[in-house]
Amino acid sequence: MSAAPDPLLPRPCRIERVTRETGGGDVFTWELAPLDGELPGFRPGQFNMLYAFGAGESAISISGDPGGGPLLHTIRAAGRVTRAMRDLSRGDVVGVRGPFGEPWPLARAHGRDLLVVAGGIGLAPLRPVLLAALRERDRFARVLLLYGARTPADVLYRQEIEAWRERPGLEVAVTVDHDAPGWNGSVGVVTRLIERAGFDPDHSLALLCGPEVMMRFAGRSLRERGMATTDIWLSMERNMACGVGWCGHCQLGPLLVCRDGPVFPLDRVEPLMGVKQL
Amino acid sequence: MTAVTDELRSGPFAGMSEAQLHRLGACASLVRYAAGEAVIAEGAAADRFFLILEGEVALSAHQPHLGRVALESIGAGDLLGWSWLAAPRVWQLDAHAAGPVTTVAFDAACVRRAMEHDHELGYQLLQRFVGVIAHRLQASRLQRLDVYAPQGGPRPT
């Protein structure tokens, strides 16, 4: 009988491909492959701890297909560690621990409308949800992607979104906060897309991911349309370190985001989101 | 007129009495715009307002060296235009049809006369427009927060 893998021990993985996702190049996707053996599967919403040797670790959501295919992580170079990651290239080796965390409760949307509401790079942890939902499309009523980005150049997975637009059974609406030459799509905040979506609030599940302010406003908009807070789920972020609930770095009131989340129902975290020093 | 009045029963005018809807419908007509066509123009008299039935209208401002910069998209079920309510009653922005657009266009002078004649109608309309204005103001504030900016805060990805 083999022992369970040590959750604190990174597995070396090679960067097989780097895709620059946005205009500035600060958002990029890694395709990773283990140096030996196979990586464990994952469920939509889970994350890995990625280790840039010599720089440090960072919690990064898995953005690949839970049904198979390579391990994908979409990363924004926002801090010291992720900026070091941006400077790595194909062939470099990084450490991977995980997957960790509670997944999106996709089965709760069976027979109902599924609203995927993403802001900015928050689309990355929701991409696996869309891929999983499309694989078992008959289980859902409507499937909607409502996506807001800062500018047209910041729209993530642009080619894939265009392909999704053409796909029957998936309704896609994209808006940007700031217009730019050549953009013919919507301008305005993502909550405006929620207002126009025309979903049935009594028979829907909403999954939200983006900056916390955006999720707060989006959650409010969904509730104003009659959705129960138990049907609104969001992915929270705090400074995760161990990934398994041992170190307490990601504590959010009584919760440890890495272990109890990162996916939570709104009714569980809404009171905590309003606490300014938490 | 009946067809126009029917379009008012849901959306922002829902809850108004049948008589009020008929009074509003008497001031309104269906107007369609082709993609790219101007709906309102900055500086022109704000003599109408619109309920968007289908399609999307882009509110925009012209900026030197940049051309037309869209500020907000107004879609189906939204009201477009409140400059007709307050002096100097001129449009503050441009708006053009982002694609084929169908609207209910209201004659502002006709609606103002109806509001003067029937203050309850005026109250009902103002209540709705204040809601729309407050809502758009909130959306603009969220837009100003620039929540997706790189310095907007740490994210897992």
Side-chain angles (χ1 to χ4, degrees), chain A residues 59-61 74 150 177 179 186-187 195-196 210 237, chain B residues 56 70 72-73 78 135-136 143 146 148 155-157:
Chain A
I60 308 289
S61 300
T74 298
R150 189 180 189 217
D177 279 5
D179 190 20
S186 292
V187 177
E195 295 160 22
R196 295 175 201 149
E237 172 55 13
Chain B
E56 206 165 79
E72 188 183 8
S73 301
D78 288 336
H135 188 72
R136 300 267 174 82
Q143 213 167 355
D146 204 10
Y148 309 123
R155 293 292 313 158
T157 52

mmCIF file with all atom_site columns, all heavy atoms in Angstrom, chain A residues 59-61 74 150 177 179 186-187 195-196 210 237, chain B residues 56 70 72-73 78 135-136 143 146 148 155-157:
data_model
loop_
_atom_site.group_PDB
_atom_site.id
_atom_site.type_symbol
_atom_site.label_atom_id
_atom_site.label_alt_id
_atom_site.label_comp_id
_atom_site.label_asym_id
_atom_site.label_entity_id
_atom_site.label_seq_id
_atom_site.pdbx_PDB_ins_code
_atom_site.Cartn_x
_atom_site.Cartn_y
_atom_site.Cartn_z
_atom_site.occupancy
_atom_site.B_iso_or_equiv
_atom_site.pdbx_formal_charge
_atom_site.auth_seq_id
_atom_site.auth_comp_id
_atom_site.auth_asym_id
_atom_site.auth_atom_id
_atom_site.pdbx_PDB_model_num
ATOM 1   N N   . ALA A 1 59  ? -0.679  30.650 -4.471  1.00 0.00 ? 59  ALA A N   1
ATOM 2   C CA  . ALA A 1 59  ? -1.886  29.854 -4.740  1.00 0.00 ? 59  ALA A CA  1
ATOM 3   C C   . ALA A 1 59  ? -2.460  30.279 -6.080  1.00 0.00 ? 59  ALA A C   1
ATOM 4   O O   . ALA A 1 59  ? -2.763  31.453 -6.274  1.00 0.00 ? 59  ALA A O   1
ATOM 5   C CB  . ALA A 1 59  ? -2.916  30.090 -3.639  1.00 0.00 ? 59  ALA A CB  1
ATOM 6   N N   . ILE A 1 60  ? -2.583  29.336 -6.989  1.00 0.00 ? 60  ILE A N   1
ATOM 7   C CA  . ILE A 1 60  ? -3.078  29.648 -8.330  1.00 0.00 ? 60  ILE A CA  1
ATOM 8   C C   . ILE A 1 60  ? -4.199  28.662 -8.677  1.00 0.00 ? 60  ILE A C   1
ATOM 9   O O   . ILE A 1 60  ? -4.008  27.446 -8.622  1.00 0.00 ? 60  ILE A O   1
ATOM 10  C CB  . ILE A 1 60  ? -1.960  29.528 -9.396  1.00 0.00 ? 60  ILE A CB  1
ATOM 11  C CG1 . ILE A 1 60  ? -0.714  30.353 -8.994  1.00 0.00 ? 60  ILE A CG1 1
ATOM 12  C CG2 . ILE A 1 60  ? -2.483  29.939 -10.752 1.00 0.00 ? 60  ILE A CG2 1
ATOM 13  C CD1 . ILE A 1 60  ? -0.861  31.838 -9.064  1.00 0.00 ? 60  ILE A CD1 1
ATOM 14  N N   . SER A 1 61  ? -5.340  29.192 -9.053  1.00 0.00 ? 61  SER A N   1
ATOM 15  C CA  . SER A 1 61  ? -6.466  28.347 -9.442  1.00 0.00 ? 61  SER A CA  1
ATOM 16  C C   . SER A 1 61  ? -6.122  27.523 -10.675 1.00 0.00 ? 61  SER A C   1
ATOM 17  O O   . SER A 1 61  ? -5.345  27.959 -11.527 1.00 0.00 ? 61  SER A O   1
ATOM 18  C CB  . SER A 1 61  ? -7.682  29.212 -9.756  1.00 0.00 ? 61  SER A CB  1
ATOM 19  O OG  . SER A 1 61  ? -8.038  29.958 -8.631  1.00 0.00 ? 61  SER A OG  1
ATOM 20  N N   . THR A 1 74  ? -3.614  29.863 -15.157 1.00 0.00 ? 74  THR A N   1
ATOM 21  C CA  . THR A 1 74  ? -3.525  31.227 -15.683 1.00 0.00 ? 74  THR A CA  1
ATOM 22  C C   . THR A 1 74  ? -3.131  32.140 -14.531 1.00 0.00 ? 74  THR A C   1
ATOM 23  O O   . THR A 1 74  ? -3.770  32.141 -13.474 1.00 0.00 ? 74  THR A O   1
ATOM 24  C CB  . THR A 1 74  ? -4.854  31.663 -16.305 1.00 0.00 ? 74  THR A CB  1
ATOM 25  O OG1 . THR A 1 74  ? -5.138  30.775 -17.405 1.00 0.00 ? 74  THR A OG1 1
ATOM 26  C CG2 . THR A 1 74  ? -4.783  33.085 -16.820 1.00 0.00 ? 74  THR A CG2 1
ATOM 27  N N   . ARG A 1 150 ? -11.384 44.845 -17.646 1.00 0.00 ? 150 ARG A N   1
ATOM 28  C CA  . ARG A 1 150 ? -11.064 46.269 -17.536 1.00 0.00 ? 150 ARG A CA  1
ATOM 29  C C   . ARG A 1 150 ? -11.129 46.969 -18.893 1.00 0.00 ? 150 ARG A C   1
ATOM 30  O O   . ARG A 1 150 ? -11.782 47.981 -19.047 1.00 0.00 ? 150 ARG A O   1
ATOM 31  C CB  . ARG A 1 150 ? -9.661  46.415 -16.940 1.00 0.00 ? 150 ARG A CB  1
ATOM 32  C CG  . ARG A 1 150 ? -9.323  47.832 -16.578 1.00 0.00 ? 150 ARG A CG  1
ATOM 33  C CD  . ARG A 1 150 ? -7.922  47.896 -15.993 1.00 0.00 ? 150 ARG A CD  1
ATOM 34  N NE  . ARG A 1 150 ? -7.658  49.193 -15.443 1.00 0.00 ? 150 ARG A NE  1
ATOM 35  C CZ  . ARG A 1 150 ? -6.477  49.793 -15.506 1.00 0.00 ? 150 ARG A CZ  1
ATOM 36  N NH1 . ARG A 1 150 ? -5.464  49.204 -16.113 1.00 0.00 ? 150 ARG A NH1 1
ATOM 37  N NH2 . ARG A 1 150 ? -6.297  50.971 -14.974 1.00 0.00 ? 150 ARG A NH2 1
ATOM 38  N N   . ASP A 1 177 ? -14.991 47.731 -18.731 1.00 0.00 ? 177 ASP A N   1
ATOM 39  C CA  . ASP A 1 177 ? -15.195 48.971 -17.973 1.00 0.00 ? 177 ASP A CA  1
ATOM 40  C C   . ASP A 1 177 ? -14.783 50.191 -18.789 1.00 0.00 ? 177 ASP A C   1
ATOM 41  O O   . ASP A 1 177 ? -15.349 51.264 -18.619 1.00 0.00 ? 177 ASP A O   1
ATOM 42  C CB  . ASP A 1 177 ? -14.384 48.945 -16.671 1.00 0.00 ? 177 ASP A CB  1
ATOM 43  C CG  . ASP A 1 177 ? -15.077 48.147 -15.573 1.00 0.00 ? 177 ASP A CG  1
ATOM 44  O OD1 . ASP A 1 177 ? -16.125 47.538 -15.865 1.00 0.00 ? 177 ASP A OD1 1
ATOM 45  O OD2 . ASP A 1 177 ? -14.569 48.133 -14.437 1.00 0.00 ? 177 ASP A OD2 1
ATOM 46  N N   . ASP A 1 179 ? -13.688 51.620 -22.691 1.00 0.00 ? 179 ASP A N   1
ATOM 47  C CA  . ASP A 1 179 ? -13.687 51.410 -24.136 1.00 0.00 ? 179 ASP A CA  1
ATOM 48  C C   . ASP A 1 179 ? -12.276 51.566 -24.709 1.00 0.00 ? 179 ASP A C   1
ATOM 49  O O   . ASP A 1 179 ? -11.399 52.155 -24.072 1.00 0.00 ? 179 ASP A O   1
ATOM 50  C CB  . ASP A 1 179 ? -14.632 52.462 -24.760 1.00 0.00 ? 179 ASP A CB  1
ATOM 51  C CG  . ASP A 1 179 ? -14.914 52.204 -26.218 1.00 0.00 ? 179 ASP A CG  1
ATOM 52  O OD1 . ASP A 1 179 ? -14.715 51.059 -26.672 1.00 0.00 ? 179 ASP A OD1 1
ATOM 53  O OD2 . ASP A 1 179 ? -15.342 53.151 -26.911 1.00 0.00 ? 179 ASP A OD2 1
ATOM 54  N N   . SER A 1 186 ? -20.043 45.595 -25.431 1.00 0.00 ? 186 SER A N   1
ATOM 55  C CA  . SER A 1 186 ? -20.649 46.408 -24.379 1.00 0.00 ? 186 SER A CA  1
ATOM 56  C C   . SER A 1 186 ? -19.591 47.112 -23.545 1.00 0.00 ? 186 SER A C   1
ATOM 57  O O   . SER A 1 186 ? -18.482 46.609 -23.361 1.00 0.00 ? 186 SER A O   1
ATOM 58  C CB  . SER A 1 186 ? -21.485 45.521 -23.454 1.00 0.00 ? 186 SER A CB  1
ATOM 59  O OG  . SER A 1 186 ? -22.612 45.036 -24.124 1.00 0.00 ? 186 SER A OG  1
ATOM 60  N N   . VAL A 1 187 ? -19.992 48.269 -23.037 1.00 0.00 ? 187 VAL A N   1
ATOM 61  C CA  . VAL A 1 187 ? -19.168 49.024 -22.090 1.00 0.00 ? 187 VAL A CA  1
ATOM 62  C C   . VAL A 1 187 ? -19.994 49.232 -20.831 1.00 0.00 ? 187 VAL A C   1
ATOM 63  O O   . VAL A 1 187 ? -21.158 49.650 -20.901 1.00 0.00 ? 187 VAL A O   1
ATOM 64  C CB  . VAL A 1 187 ? -18.725 50.378 -22.675 1.00 0.00 ? 187 VAL A CB  1
ATOM 65  C CG1 . VAL A 1 187 ? -17.927 51.179 -21.648 1.00 0.00 ? 187 VAL A CG1 1
ATOM 66  C CG2 . VAL A 1 187 ? -17.911 50.174 -23.940 1.00 0.00 ? 187 VAL A CG2 1
ATOM 67  N N   . GLU A 1 195 ? -28.330 42.386 -14.879 1.00 0.00 ? 195 GLU A N   1
ATOM 68  C CA  . GLU A 1 195 ? -29.668 42.981 -15.003 1.00 0.00 ? 195 GLU A CA  1
ATOM 69  C C   . GLU A 1 195 ? -30.361 42.542 -16.287 1.00 0.00 ? 195 GLU A C   1
ATOM 70  O O   . GLU A 1 195 ? -31.580 42.455 -16.342 1.00 0.00 ? 195 GLU A O   1
ATOM 71  C CB  . GLU A 1 195 ? -29.558 44.507 -14.989 1.00 0.00 ? 195 GLU A CB  1
ATOM 72  C CG  . GLU A 1 195 ? -29.045 45.062 -13.675 1.00 0.00 ? 195 GLU A CG  1
ATOM 73  C CD  . GLU A 1 195 ? -28.484 46.459 -13.837 1.00 0.00 ? 195 GLU A CD  1
ATOM 74  O OE1 . GLU A 1 195 ? -28.841 47.144 -14.815 1.00 0.00 ? 195 GLU A OE1 1
ATOM 75  O OE2 . GLU A 1 195 ? -27.667 46.866 -12.988 1.00 0.00 ? 195 GLU A OE2 1
ATOM 76  N N   . ARG A 1 196 ? -29.574 42.310 -17.320 1.00 0.00 ? 196 ARG A N   1
ATOM 77  C CA  . ARG A 1 196 ? -30.169 42.002 -18.635 1.00 0.00 ? 196 ARG A CA  1
ATOM 78  C C   . ARG A 1 196 ? -30.272 40.507 -18.903 1.00 0.00 ? 196 ARG A C   1
ATOM 79  O O   . ARG A 1 196 ? -30.774 40.106 -19.944 1.00 0.00 ? 196 ARG A O   1
ATOM 80  C CB  . ARG A 1 196 ? -29.328 42.635 -19.741 1.00 0.00 ? 196 ARG A CB  1
ATOM 81  C CG  . ARG A 1 196 ? -29.325 44.133 -19.707 1.00 0.00 ? 196 ARG A CG  1
ATOM 82  C CD  . ARG A 1 196 ? -28.368 44.683 -20.762 1.00 0.00 ? 196 ARG A CD  1
ATOM 83  N NE  . ARG A 1 196 ? -27.991 46.045 -20.430 1.00 0.00 ? 196 ARG A NE  1
ATOM 84  C CZ  . ARG A 1 196 ? -26.821 46.593 -20.719 1.00 0.00 ? 196 ARG A CZ  1
ATOM 85  N NH1 . ARG A 1 196 ? -25.915 45.900 -21.362 1.00 0.00 ? 196 ARG A NH1 1
ATOM 86  N NH2 . ARG A 1 196 ? -26.565 47.822 -20.382 1.00 0.00 ? 196 ARG A NH2 1
ATOM 87  N N   . GLY A 1 210 ? -13.997 37.110 -9.034  1.00 0.00 ? 210 GLY A N   1
ATOM 88  C CA  . GLY A 1 210 ? -13.396 38.358 -9.486  1.00 0.00 ? 210 GLY A CA  1
ATOM 89  C C   . GLY A 1 210 ? -12.918 39.112 -8.274  1.00 0.00 ? 210 GLY A C   1
ATOM 90  O O   . GLY A 1 210 ? -12.908 38.574 -7.158  1.00 0.00 ? 210 GLY A O   1
ATOM 91  N N   . GLU A 1 237 ? -10.358 34.964 -1.879  1.00 0.00 ? 237 GLU A N   1
ATOM 92  C CA  . GLU A 1 237 ? -8.901  34.874 -1.896  1.00 0.00 ? 237 GLU A CA  1
ATOM 93  C C   . GLU A 1 237 ? -8.326  35.541 -0.656  1.00 0.00 ? 237 GLU A C   1
ATOM 94  O O   . GLU A 1 237 ? -8.733  36.631 -0.284  1.00 0.00 ? 237 GLU A O   1
ATOM 95  C CB  . GLU A 1 237 ? -8.354  35.550 -3.165  1.00 0.00 ? 237 GLU A CB  1
ATOM 96  C CG  . GLU A 1 237 ? -6.854  35.697 -3.206  1.00 0.00 ? 237 GLU A CG  1
ATOM 97  C CD  . GLU A 1 237 ? -6.089  34.413 -3.021  1.00 0.00 ? 237 GLU A CD  1
ATOM 98  O OE1 . GLU A 1 237 ? -6.700  33.332 -3.089  1.00 0.00 ? 237 GLU A OE1 1
ATOM 99  O OE2 . GLU A 1 237 ? -4.887  34.475 -2.773  1.00 0.00 ? 237 GLU A OE2 1
ATOM 100 N N   . GLU B 2 56  ? -28.742 47.240 -28.553 1.00 0.00 ? 56  GLU B N   1
ATOM 101 C CA  . GLU B 2 56  ? -27.920 47.952 -27.581 1.00 0.00 ? 56  GLU B CA  1
ATOM 102 C C   . GLU B 2 56  ? -27.530 49.319 -28.143 1.00 0.00 ? 56  GLU B C   1
ATOM 103 O O   . GLU B 2 56  ? -27.197 49.441 -29.324 1.00 0.00 ? 56  GLU B O   1
ATOM 104 C CB  . GLU B 2 56  ? -26.659 47.126 -27.293 1.00 0.00 ? 56  GLU B CB  1
ATOM 105 C CG  . GLU B 2 56  ? -26.060 47.368 -25.942 1.00 0.00 ? 56  GLU B CG  1
ATOM 106 C CD  . GLU B 2 56  ? -25.054 46.296 -25.561 1.00 0.00 ? 56  GLU B CD  1
ATOM 107 O OE1 . GLU B 2 56  ? -23.906 46.346 -26.047 1.00 0.00 ? 56  GLU B OE1 1
ATOM 108 O OE2 . GLU B 2 56  ? -25.413 45.404 -24.779 1.00 0.00 ? 56  GLU B OE2 1
ATOM 109 N N   . ALA B 2 70  ? -16.896 55.132 -25.973 1.00 0.00 ? 70  ALA B N   1
ATOM 110 C CA  . ALA B 2 70  ? -18.127 54.651 -25.336 1.00 0.00 ? 70  ALA B CA  1
ATOM 111 C C   . ALA B 2 70  ? -17.951 54.643 -23.817 1.00 0.00 ? 70  ALA B C   1
ATOM 112 O O   . ALA B 2 70  ? -16.916 54.234 -23.301 1.00 0.00 ? 70  ALA B O   1
ATOM 113 C CB  . ALA B 2 70  ? -18.471 53.259 -25.829 1.00 0.00 ? 70  ALA B CB  1
ATOM 114 N N   . GLU B 2 72  ? -20.895 53.791 -21.731 1.00 0.00 ? 72  GLU B N   1
ATOM 115 C CA  . GLU B 2 72  ? -21.827 52.831 -21.164 1.00 0.00 ? 72  GLU B CA  1
ATOM 116 C C   . GLU B 2 72  ? -22.721 52.288 -22.270 1.00 0.00 ? 72  GLU B C   1
ATOM 117 O O   . GLU B 2 72  ? -23.076 53.014 -23.196 1.00 0.00 ? 72  GLU B O   1
ATOM 118 C CB  . GLU B 2 72  ? -22.691 53.514 -20.096 1.00 0.00 ? 72  GLU B CB  1
ATOM 119 C CG  . GLU B 2 72  ? -23.544 52.545 -19.315 1.00 0.00 ? 72  GLU B CG  1
ATOM 120 C CD  . GLU B 2 72  ? -24.445 53.241 -18.297 1.00 0.00 ? 72  GLU B CD  1
ATOM 121 O OE1 . GLU B 2 72  ? -24.513 54.484 -18.306 1.00 0.00 ? 72  GLU B OE1 1
ATOM 122 O OE2 . GLU B 2 72  ? -25.098 52.525 -17.532 1.00 0.00 ? 72  GLU B OE2 1
ATOM 123 N N   . SER B 2 73  ? -23.083 51.035 -22.141 1.00 0.00 ? 73  SER B N   1
ATOM 124 C CA  . SER B 2 73  ? -24.027 50.434 -23.084 1.00 0.00 ? 73  SER B CA  1
ATOM 125 C C   . SER B 2 73  ? -25.391 50.334 -22.418 1.00 0.00 ? 73  SER B C   1
ATOM 126 O O   . SER B 2 73  ? -25.498 49.918 -21.268 1.00 0.00 ? 73  SER B O   1
ATOM 127 C CB  . SER B 2 73  ? -23.543 49.048 -23.506 1.00 0.00 ? 73  SER B CB  1
ATOM 128 O OG  . SER B 2 73  ? -22.272 49.139 -24.107 1.00 0.00 ? 73  SER B OG  1
ATOM 129 N N   . ASP B 2 78  ? -33.860 48.860 -20.740 1.00 0.00 ? 78  ASP B N   1
ATOM 130 C CA  . ASP B 2 78  ? -33.311 50.071 -20.103 1.00 0.00 ? 78  ASP B CA  1
ATOM 131 C C   . ASP B 2 78  ? -33.990 51.328 -20.652 1.00 0.00 ? 78  ASP B C   1
ATOM 132 O O   . ASP B 2 78  ? -34.405 51.374 -21.812 1.00 0.00 ? 78  ASP B O   1
ATOM 133 C CB  . ASP B 2 78  ? -31.809 50.189 -20.386 1.00 0.00 ? 78  ASP B CB  1
ATOM 134 C CG  . ASP B 2 78  ? -30.981 49.176 -19.617 1.00 0.00 ? 78  ASP B CG  1
ATOM 135 O OD1 . ASP B 2 78  ? -31.453 48.713 -18.566 1.00 0.00 ? 78  ASP B OD1 1
ATOM 136 O OD2 . ASP B 2 78  ? -29.869 48.863 -20.076 1.00 0.00 ? 78  ASP B OD2 1
ATOM 137 N N   . HIS B 2 135 ? -29.308 54.150 -9.925  1.00 0.00 ? 135 HIS B N   1
ATOM 138 C CA  . HIS B 2 135 ? -28.717 52.881 -10.319 1.00 0.00 ? 135 HIS B CA  1
ATOM 139 C C   . HIS B 2 135 ? -27.516 53.096 -11.239 1.00 0.00 ? 135 HIS B C   1
ATOM 140 O O   . HIS B 2 135 ? -26.456 52.474 -11.078 1.00 0.00 ? 135 HIS B O   1
ATOM 141 C CB  . HIS B 2 135 ? -29.807 52.069 -11.010 1.00 0.00 ? 135 HIS B CB  1
ATOM 142 C CG  . HIS B 2 135 ? -29.397 50.683 -11.309 1.00 0.00 ? 135 HIS B CG  1
ATOM 143 N ND1 . HIS B 2 135 ? -29.264 49.739 -10.325 1.00 0.00 ? 135 HIS B ND1 1
ATOM 144 C CD2 . HIS B 2 135 ? -29.042 50.091 -12.464 1.00 0.00 ? 135 HIS B CD2 1
ATOM 145 C CE1 . HIS B 2 135 ? -28.861 48.617 -10.879 1.00 0.00 ? 135 HIS B CE1 1
ATOM 146 N NE2 . HIS B 2 135 ? -28.719 48.801 -12.173 1.00 0.00 ? 135 HIS B NE2 1
ATOM 147 N N   . ARG B 2 136 ? -27.674 53.990 -12.215 1.00 0.00 ? 136 ARG B N   1
ATOM 148 C CA  . ARG B 2 136 ? -26.564 54.263 -13.153 1.00 0.00 ? 136 ARG B CA  1
ATOM 149 C C   . ARG B 2 136 ? -25.409 54.940 -12.420 1.00 0.00 ? 136 ARG B C   1
ATOM 150 O O   . ARG B 2 136 ? -24.241 54.701 -12.730 1.00 0.00 ? 136 ARG B O   1
ATOM 151 C CB  . ARG B 2 136 ? -27.050 55.172 -14.290 1.00 0.00 ? 136 ARG B CB  1
ATOM 152 C CG  . ARG B 2 136 ? -28.170 54.577 -15.105 1.00 0.00 ? 136 ARG B CG  1
ATOM 153 C CD  . ARG B 2 136 ? -27.671 53.819 -16.328 1.00 0.00 ? 136 ARG B CD  1
ATOM 154 N NE  . ARG B 2 136 ? -28.782 53.164 -16.965 1.00 0.00 ? 136 ARG B NE  1
ATOM 155 C CZ  . ARG B 2 136 ? -29.627 53.757 -17.804 1.00 0.00 ? 136 ARG B CZ  1
ATOM 156 N NH1 . ARG B 2 136 ? -29.448 55.018 -18.145 1.00 0.00 ? 136 ARG B NH1 1
ATOM 157 N NH2 . ARG B 2 136 ? -30.628 53.094 -18.331 1.00 0.00 ? 136 ARG B NH2 1
ATOM 158 N N   . GLN B 2 143 ? -17.542 51.480 -11.752 1.00 0.00 ? 143 GLN B N   1
ATOM 159 C CA  . GLN B 2 143 ? -16.644 51.615 -12.904 1.00 0.00 ? 143 GLN B CA  1
ATOM 160 C C   . GLN B 2 143 ? -15.403 52.426 -12.502 1.00 0.00 ? 143 GLN B C   1
ATOM 161 O O   . GLN B 2 143 ? -14.290 52.095 -12.866 1.00 0.00 ? 143 GLN B O   1
ATOM 162 C CB  . GLN B 2 143 ? -17.396 52.324 -14.021 1.00 0.00 ? 143 GLN B CB  1
ATOM 163 C CG  . GLN B 2 143 ? -17.033 51.910 -15.411 1.00 0.00 ? 143 GLN B CG  1
ATOM 164 C CD  . GLN B 2 143 ? -18.057 52.428 -16.409 1.00 0.00 ? 143 GLN B CD  1
ATOM 165 O OE1 . GLN B 2 143 ? -19.084 53.010 -16.047 1.00 0.00 ? 143 GLN B OE1 1
ATOM 166 N NE2 . GLN B 2 143 ? -17.784 52.223 -17.672 1.00 0.00 ? 143 GLN B NE2 1
ATOM 167 N N   . ASP B 2 146 ? -12.335 50.945 -10.725 1.00 0.00 ? 146 ASP B N   1
ATOM 168 C CA  . ASP B 2 146 ? -11.310 50.297 -11.551 1.00 0.00 ? 146 ASP B CA  1
ATOM 169 C C   . ASP B 2 146 ? -10.816 49.023 -10.875 1.00 0.00 ? 146 ASP B C   1
ATOM 170 O O   . ASP B 2 146 ? -9.626  48.828 -10.667 1.00 0.00 ? 146 ASP B O   1
ATOM 171 C CB  . ASP B 2 146 ? -10.143 51.279 -11.777 1.00 0.00 ? 146 ASP B CB  1
ATOM 172 C CG  . ASP B 2 146 ? -9.368  50.950 -13.044 1.00 0.00 ? 146 ASP B CG  1
ATOM 173 O OD1 . ASP B 2 146 ? -9.842  50.107 -13.830 1.00 0.00 ? 146 ASP B OD1 1
ATOM 174 O OD2 . ASP B 2 146 ? -8.293  51.539 -13.251 1.00 0.00 ? 146 ASP B OD2 1
ATOM 175 N N   . TYR B 2 148 ? -10.408 46.029 -11.651 1.00 0.00 ? 148 TYR B N   1
ATOM 176 C CA  . TYR B 2 148 ? -9.532  45.051 -12.305 1.00 0.00 ? 148 TYR B CA  1
ATOM 177 C C   . TYR B 2 148 ? -8.122  45.596 -12.527 1.00 0.00 ? 148 TYR B C   1
ATOM 178 O O   . TYR B 2 148 ? -7.310  44.938 -13.174 1.00 0.00 ? 148 TYR B O   1
ATOM 179 C CB  . TYR B 2 148 ? -10.106 44.631 -13.662 1.00 0.00 ? 148 TYR B CB  1
ATOM 180 C CG  . TYR B 2 148 ? -11.556 44.200 -13.611 1.00 0.00 ? 148 TYR B CG  1
ATOM 181 C CD1 . TYR B 2 148 ? -12.508 44.823 -14.394 1.00 0.00 ? 148 TYR B CD1 1
ATOM 182 C CD2 . TYR B 2 148 ? -11.957 43.162 -12.776 1.00 0.00 ? 148 TYR B CD2 1
ATOM 183 C CE1 . TYR B 2 148 ? -13.842 44.426 -14.353 1.00 0.00 ? 148 TYR B CE1 1
ATOM 184 C CE2 . TYR B 2 148 ? -13.280 42.767 -12.725 1.00 0.00 ? 148 TYR B CE2 1
ATOM 185 C CZ  . TYR B 2 148 ? -14.209 43.399 -13.522 1.00 0.00 ? 148 TYR B CZ  1
ATOM 186 O OH  . TYR B 2 148 ? -15.522 43.005 -13.468 1.00 0.00 ? 148 TYR B OH  1
ATOM 187 N N   . ARG B 2 155 ? -4.934  38.653 -6.034  1.00 0.00 ? 155 ARG B N   1
ATOM 188 C CA  . ARG B 2 155 ? -5.868  37.629 -6.477  1.00 0.00 ? 155 ARG B CA  1
ATOM 189 C C   . ARG B 2 155 ? -5.117  36.301 -6.515  1.00 0.00 ? 155 ARG B C   1
ATOM 190 O O   . ARG B 2 155 ? -3.890  36.297 -6.603  1.00 0.00 ? 155 ARG B O   1
ATOM 191 C CB  . ARG B 2 155 ? -6.420  37.931 -7.880  1.00 0.00 ? 155 ARG B CB  1
ATOM 192 C CG  . ARG B 2 155 ? -7.302  39.144 -7.952  1.00 0.00 ? 155 ARG B CG  1
ATOM 193 C CD  . ARG B 2 155 ? -8.604  38.930 -7.200  1.00 0.00 ? 155 ARG B CD  1
ATOM 194 N NE  . ARG B 2 155 ? -9.210  37.657 -7.533  1.00 0.00 ? 155 ARG B NE  1
ATOM 195 C CZ  . ARG B 2 155 ? -10.087 37.035 -6.746  1.00 0.00 ? 155 ARG B CZ  1
ATOM 196 N NH1 . ARG B 2 155 ? -10.381 37.543 -5.584  1.00 0.00 ? 155 ARG B NH1 1
ATOM 197 N NH2 . ARG B 2 155 ? -10.626 35.904 -7.113  1.00 0.00 ? 155 ARG B NH2 1
ATOM 198 N N   . PRO B 2 156 ? -5.844  35.196 -6.471  1.00 0.00 ? 156 PRO B N   1
ATOM 199 C CA  . PRO B 2 156 ? -5.120  33.928 -6.495  1.00 0.00 ? 156 PRO B CA  1
ATOM 200 C C   . PRO B 2 156 ? -4.476  33.666 -7.827  1.00 0.00 ? 156 PRO B C   1
ATOM 201 O O   . PRO B 2 156 ? -3.517  32.919 -7.917  1.00 0.00 ? 156 PRO B O   1
ATOM 202 C CB  . PRO B 2 156 ? -6.214  32.886 -6.222  1.00 0.00 ? 156 PRO B CB  1
ATOM 203 C CG  . PRO B 2 156 ? -7.487  33.526 -6.669  1.00 0.00 ? 156 PRO B CG  1
ATOM 204 C CD  . PRO B 2 156 ? -7.291  34.991 -6.411  1.00 0.00 ? 156 PRO B CD  1
ATOM 205 N N   . THR B 2 157 ? -5.040  34.247 -8.873  1.00 0.00 ? 157 THR B N   1
ATOM 206 C CA  . THR B 2 157 ? -4.486  33.964 -10.187 1.00 0.00 ? 157 THR B CA  1
ATOM 207 C C   . THR B 2 157 ? -4.120  35.263 -10.849 1.00 0.00 ? 157 THR B C   1
ATOM 208 O O   . THR B 2 157 ? -4.594  36.294 -10.459 1.00 0.00 ? 157 THR B O   1
ATOM 209 C CB  . THR B 2 157 ? -5.529  33.282 -11.072 1.00 0.00 ? 157 THR B CB  1
ATOM 210 O OG1 . THR B 2 157 ? -6.723  34.058 -11.072 1.00 0.00 ? 157 THR B OG1 1
ATOM 211 C CG2 . THR B 2 157 ? -5.850  31.910 -10.566 1.00 0.00 ? 157 THR B CG2 1
#
